[in-house]
Amino acid sequence: TMSRRGAHPGLAALASLASLLGLTTLVATQTWYARTIWLVILAVGLGVLVRRFTAGSGRGVIPVQVLGVLLCATWMFAASTTWYGLPTLATVRRFGVLFTEFATTAAESAAPMPANAGVEATLALIGVALAILVEALAVTRAAPAAAGLPLLTAFLAAAANNGSALPPFYFLVAA
């Protein structure tokens, strides 16, 4: 099924999630992946709505997706820093702490690295950023072949950072 311009948004989301599956081998628990699924559903849903109400032009899709995801991520990972549910400067500082925690964990740990709030938040946001990029290329820009490059990058990142070869299942799912 094709939408007006490019590939189906659901296929772009599934391709993104499939390419991220290999990254689950790099973390001790997969709660970050479950959060990524919800954020991808939100981003793709917002993209569908914006395209529907802008006559398929695609204008404003990425900004709406990013704002929606950032608001939802704030509620997921930094809810205590909001003012009536809206982000504050404390929210920005909290995400800085989370990203630093991820960087420290990644630098000091071998795969699978322990899951902590920083790892979960960072990987979930990287995952949804990948999905937004893939959807922008495959659906909004109608260039599904170009969307394969970020998908391949996610798979290769998992393969390169794993201590041993990834099982063929991860390649088959991503393909």
Side-chain angles (χ1 to χ4, degrees):
T1 355
M2 298 293 280
S3 66
R4 284 187 183 164
R5 298 205 60 213
H8 192 281
L11 290 177
L14 283 175
S16 299
L17 291 170
S19 72
L20 291 168
L21 204 54
L23 292 175
T24 61
T25 63
L26 302 180
V27 185
T29 63
Q30 281 72 45
T31 50
W32 70 270
Y33 191 75
R35 291 174 187 246
T36 303
I37 291 170
W38 287 112
L39 291 173
V40 168
I41 290 169
L42 172 68
V44 170
L46 288 172
V48 168
L49 286 174
V50 171
R51 274 190 295 280
R52 179 168 301 237
F53 291 112
T54 58
S57 70
R59 290 197 178 169
V61 172
I62 293 174
V64 169
Q65 288 175 315
V66 170
L67 286 174
V69 164
L70 289 178
L71 190 58
C72 190
T74 296
W75 299 334
M76 279 182 173
F77 302 111
S80 65
T81 66
T82 62
W83 179 74
Y84 292 100
L86 297 174
T88 63
L89 283 175
T91 306
V92 175
R93 285 192 293 273
R94 174 67 181 146
F95 275 102
V97 168
L98 291 171
F99 296 149
T100 301
E101 184 178 22
F102 169 77
T104 302
T105 304
E108 295 175 353
S109 305
M113 66 180 149
N116 56 43
V119 169
E120 288 195 14
T122 305
L123 288 179
L125 289 172
I126 289 170
V128 74
L130 172 79
I132 290 171
L133 176 60
V134 167
E135 204 226 12
L137 291 169
V139 181
T140 305
R141 298 281 180 227
L149 293 175
L151 294 172
L152 178 64
T153 302
F155 174 77
L156 291 177
N161 288 300
N162 206 327
S164 59
L166 279 176
F169 165 78
Y170 293 104
F171 175 75
L172 293 174
V173 168

